[in-house]
Amino acid sequence: MNSVAEGTDHKLPNDLKTALLKDKMAFAAWQRITPLARNEWICWTISVKQQKTRDEHVRRAVKELAEGKRRPCCWVGCIHRSDKPMNKTQKWMFGKKS
């Protein structure tokens, strides 16, 4: 099997990598999406506080990739990207959390 593609600003975490390698359809979808899309999935998965939530995000990522989804839904996007500033929604969300 080929190597597993990474995101742009985030390294693929082992739990997500292991789950992707166990599902052929999700893995194929992962390899086809853009590096920015992979980055969104990784950031969405690792940006949670509780392990239970992270485990659920890993399961959902694999399921939704296998179903053809290209990016996580209803998420403000990766704030870690260095190639663009945060958008208004991201600034509002982080202002609200402070």
Side-chain angles (χ1 to χ4, degrees):
M1 185 174 291
N2 295 345
S3 64
V4 182
E6 299 277 346
T8 55
D9 291 299
H10 294 292
K11 183 169 172 41
L12 182 62
N14 286 332
D15 55 349
L16 182 54
K17 180 178 181 178
T18 300
L20 288 167
L21 290 171
K22 289 180 181 178
D23 187 301
K24 289 181 183 180
M25 289 183 65
F27 178 74
W30 180 263
Q31 295 293 92
R32 282 191 308 269
I33 62 177
T34 66
L36 285 175
R38 288 190 296 268
N39 193 72
E40 297 285 318
W41 284 109
I42 295 168
C43 191
W44 178 72
T45 300
I46 66 172
S47 294
V48 297
K49 293 180 182 176
Q50 296 182 3
Q51 186 63 46
K52 178 181 176 184
T53 307
R54 181 173 172 142
D55 294 343
E56 178 59 27
H57 279 210
V58 169
R59 281 191 294 277
R60 277 188 54 200
V62 170
K63 178 182 180 289
E64 292 176 9
L65 282 161
E67 293 171 350
K69 206 166 191 191
R70 300 184 65 79
R71 293 183 188 254
C73 175
C74 307
W75 184 63
V76 297
C78 178
I79 63 159
H80 305 101
R81 287 181 51 192
S82 58
D83 63 327
K84 67 175 193 139
M86 282 197 286
N87 64 39
K88 288 180 183 179
T89 303
Q90 290 169 325
K91 288 179 186 175
W92 177 80
M93 288 295 293
F94 282 94
K96 188 176 178 181
K97 288 182 181 180
S98 313

